[in-house]
Amino acid sequence: MVIRKALIALWLASFIPGGSIFAQNSDLNDLKSEAINSIDSMQKLTQEIIDSLFSFAELGFQEFETQRYLAEILEANDFSVELGVAGIPSAWWASWGSGEPVIALGSDVDGIPRASQMPGVAYRQPMIEGAPGHGEGHNSGQAVNIVAALAVKEIMEREGLPGTIVLWPGIAEELLGTKAWYARDGLFEGVDAVLFTHVSNNLSVSWGKARGTGLVSVEYLFDGIAAHGAGDPWKGRSALDAVELMNIAWNYRREHLHPLQRSHYVISNGGDQPNVVPSSASVWYFIREVTADGIRGNFETLQQIAEGASLMTDTSVSRRIVGAAYPRHFNRPIALAMDENIQNIGLPNWSEDDQQFAKALQTLMGADEPQGLATELSGITPDLEEPISGGSDDIGDISWNVPTVTLRYPSNVRGLQGHHWSSAMAMATPIAHKGALTGAKVVATTMLDLVQNDVLVNEAQSYFEDVQTADEQYTPFIGPNDPPAIEKNENIMAEFRPLLEELHYDSTRYETYLDQLGINYPQLTPTEIRRN
Ligand SMILES: [Zn+2]
């Protein structure tokens, strides 16, 4: 406690400039340290949200338990919650307050197929074989945002500060399935700033062009003619042949695409059984590139290849946009303000147990010299001079509609495999809880920067208008009538939901989810786990 007070005093001192704005800044710093203390007092709520969402383990478009649970918390805290926004049943839009600025906090909530994994143990043990799990860590971001919002709301109410706080989820982020639709349907009109949060293994923010790609996710559906595979196959026209020829053509074409592109596909329907010529088959592609024009160009190439495959096989083809993500561009003024808060707040104090667990996971994943959890801030990342390829996030579409930043907070362990069960191992442990609490402090203090002072809101807006969108305009990859792919993952969740329900975290009976599971954190060697 003494140490914390000393740190806060030091932190306050770092903000105090000379001159006439002294009083204003010292008020702001008082409010910031108040928000930080208030967030520390919500440790229990943070842990419960993270552990609950971990136990729900829901895939994209099927986050209904997550929605029910979080909407209840938000309504109990005077937020008005609209469910099913933008025609997406598991989405919501929660708002509190009135007037400007309107600050919208977002974070993803969906899990990863087949990533079911017991938390807090340093070895592979699925909770349910084949089930989804939080192998990305999307169970932690809503806790960051809700706790930050509650701390700031309390201050705004008392101080009579105008402003509106919005909380929204990234539904089906793993399918890049909703944020472009939110933007298309006007949810972000009138929003002044979006503070987005994403799980990571350090505490950082970036501005300008971000590393990674944007993409179009598109499914091609071929229609042919069924026939007996042995009796009279000449009467058939195989939709699967079209899928295979399309894939072959794309794989030849790869050589002549720009090396920074990334593209991958799965055959989402390969027919029913071998003795029936497949009359229906489909293939689902992610077409990624570092620029919007690059994505559009490659998508046109793919479209031609699909039409070619249809011509070659006498089948017909149609397509459906499943997801979209614009290459991201983040707001410089907000990122700089956020980075100042990051430097003052710093990384969590990891325990020996946390470090031991992290190193055990890194060793499990093949590290020769496990580094453990980060103890030094990685620092702000400025606008990329040269693009770097990689993954995508549909926050890109929002970043071209509203001044936006993404805070990456340290709830996971570095050096693990992404979209993989190893990335679920720490996500219901003290590492996830501490990282989220730290992230919430950064979000709350940055919200106060925006609420207290319209200078930052105005600077953010002028960067957005005069720099970001001065010579690049947003032209969405989805059209006005493309529906969201809300049926995705329905079958998988129908299979696993009853099994997952038995393992839902019961916070009325157990202090933590690890307690409920009977795990002695950090459990480094395989032991028979006796569930409590
Ligand atoms: Zn993610």
Side-chain angles (χ1 to χ4, degrees):
M1 205 54 204
V2 175
I3 293 169
R4 181 181 307 288
K5 275 188 184 145
L7 280 175
I8 288 171
L10 203 69
W11 181 68
L12 290 178
S14 75
F15 271 96
I16 296 172
S20 59
I21 48 172
F22 173 83
Q24 228 187 355
N25 274 316
S26 98
D27 287 349
L28 176 59
N29 291 334
D30 285 348
L31 296 182
K32 284 185 175 182
S33 53
E34 186 188 334
I36 286 169
N37 287 332
S38 154
I39 286 166
D40 275 322
S41 76
M42 288 187 273
Q43 194 282 335
K44 182 66 188 143
L45 176 63
T46 308
Q47 170 259 315
E48 283 185 10
I49 295 174
I50 289 173
D51 289 4
S52 297
L53 267 57
F54 184 93
S55 75
F56 300 157
E58 293 176 304
L59 292 175
F61 287 119
Q62 309 302 326
E63 307 94 330
F64 293 108
E65 197 63 33
T66 302
Q67 179 195 55
R68 182 200 57 74
Y69 171 81
L70 293 177
E72 206 168 277
I73 293 175
L74 292 167
E75 276 166 353
N77 285 286
D78 309 323
F79 278 77
S80 61
V81 183
E82 193 189 339
L83 302 180
V85 290
I88 298 154
S90 58
W92 67 89
W93 191 259
S95 61
W96 173 87
S98 61
E100 290 173 348
V102 181
I103 304 170
L105 311 181
S107 200
D108 304 324
V109 295
D110 56 325
I112 300 280
R114 298 176 192 279
S116 175
Q117 167 66 37
M118 199 64 85
V121 307
Y123 46 90
R124 172 62 170 149
Q125 185 177 345
M127 296 185 69
I128 299 166
E129 192 68 50
H134 274 290
E136 163 88 357
H138 285 174
N139 59 309
S140 55
Q142 289 293 325
V144 172
N145 291 350
I146 289 173
V147 165
L150 295 183
V152 172
K153 169 177 171 272
E154 192 184 332
I155 290 170
M156 287 170 73
E157 274 175 322
R158 192 196 58 220
E159 302 282 315
L161 296 170
T164 307
I165 303 174
V166 174
L167 287 158
W168 58 274
I171 293 296
E173 190 280 329
E174 299 300 347
L175 303 178
L176 299 306
T178 56
K179 298 191 190 89
W181 279 262
Y182 292 164
R184 181 191 71 183
D185 293 355
L187 290 184
F188 289 94
E189 278 164 22
V191 172
D192 294 296
V194 168
L195 306 183
F196 189 68
T197 54
H198 197 281
V199 60
S200 182
N201 46 57
N202 207 302
L203 187 64
S204 67
V205 65
S206 72
W207 64 268
K209 290 184 288 297
R211 62 186 300 157
T213 55
L215 67 71
V216 170
S217 158
V218 55
E219 196 167 13
Y220 282 90
L221 305 110
F222 291 90
D223 260 314
I225 299 170
H228 193 299
D232 44 11
W234 54 89
K235 290 186 180 164
R237 295 291 177 265
S238 170
L240 178 60
D241 289 355
V243 164
E244 291 192 88
L245 288 166
M246 177 171 178
N247 295 343
I248 288 166
W250 183 257
N251 286 327
Y252 273 95
R253 186 63 177 258
R254 258 180 217 284
E255 185 187 355
H256 312 292
L257 300 175
H258 191 277
L260 291 184
Q261 73 90 26
R262 298 278 190 279
S263 51
H264 11 266
Y265 57 80
V266 295
I267 296 177
S268 42
N269 171 15
D272 299 307
Q273 58 186 60
N275 63 346
V276 181
V277 172
S279 59
S280 165
S282 54
V283 57
W284 179 11
Y285 270 81
F286 278 19
I287 296 296
R288 306 192 203 237
E289 244 281 15
V290 294
T291 64
D293 284 345
I295 296 161
R296 268 186 274 270
N298 288 1
F299 184 24
E300 276 167 28
T301 301
L302 184 72
Q303 174 67 26
Q304 284 182 343
I305 284 175
E307 288 167 14
S310 144
L311 267 176
M312 283 189 282
T313 51
D314 259 335
T315 57
S316 63
V317 63
S318 60
R319 75 171 193 215
R320 179 205 185 176
I321 303 283
V322 180
Y326 231 68
R328 292 158 278 181
H329 189 115
F330 294 123
N331 191 268
R332 184 172 187 268
I334 301 178
L336 294 181
M338 183 175 266
D339 186 53
E340 211 166 311
N341 295 320
I342 287 173
Q343 290 178 45
N344 288 313
I345 289 161
L347 288 161
N349 292 316
W350 307 115
S351 68
E352 260 318 297
D353 282 349
D354 298 335
Q355 287 290 10
Q356 203 189 9
F357 183 59
K359 286 179 184 168
L361 299 193
Q362 290 161 346
T363 304
L364 176 75
M365 295 310 291
D368 292 332
E369 286 176 38
Q371 294 178 296
L373 296 160
T375 53
E376 272 174 40
L377 290 170
S378 56
I380 190 168
T381 307
D383 192 25
L384 285 186
E385 281 173 21
E386 291 297 328
I388 300 173
S389 192
S392 319
D393 189 321
D394 52 358
I395 190 64
D397 288 79
I398 293 170
S399 78
W400 285 94
N401 281 273
V402 188
T404 299
V405 296
T406 292
L407 170 70
R408 296 163 62 82
Y409 57 91
S411 278
N412 214 337
V413 176
R414 54 187 162 175
L416 307 183
Q417 195 125 308
H419 290 181
H420 185 258
W421 48 262
S422 61
S423 290
M425 293 175 130
M427 287 315 303
T429 70
I431 296 171
H433 306 146
K434 288 173 194 174
L437 221 51
T438 301
K441 292 173 186 175
V442 176
V443 173
T445 48
T446 309
M447 289 170 80
L448 288 170
D449 285 326
L450 290 159
V451 168
Q452 255 292 34
N453 188 339
D454 58 14
V455 172
L456 181 56
V457 174
N458 292 337
E459 283 175 356
Q461 191 57 37
S462 59
Y463 177 86
F464 183 78
E465 282 170 17
D466 305 335
V467 181
Q468 181 182 343
T469 59
D471 26 54
E472 186 173 353
Q473 305 297 315
Y474 173 68
T475 312
F477 299 135
I478 62 170
N481 300 314
D482 285 314
I486 56 174
E487 84 296 343
K488 288 280 179 205
N489 294 320
E490 211 171 73
N491 297 345
I492 302 175
M493 284 312 294
E495 180 186 349
F496 287 108
R497 197 177 286 287
L499 301 169
L500 288 163
E501 273 168 7
E502 289 175 29
L503 294 172
H504 281 180
Y505 170 43
D506 182 355
S507 63
T508 63
R509 292 177 60 205
Y510 300 101
E511 186 63 20
T512 66
Y513 195 41
L514 293 177
D515 285 341
Q516 180 173 334
L517 297 171
I519 290 163
N520 187 14
Y521 172 82
Q523 197 155 300
L524 304 182
T525 48
T527 327
E528 196 195 342
I529 295 170
R530 297 192 173 279
R531 282 200 191 122
N532 287 329

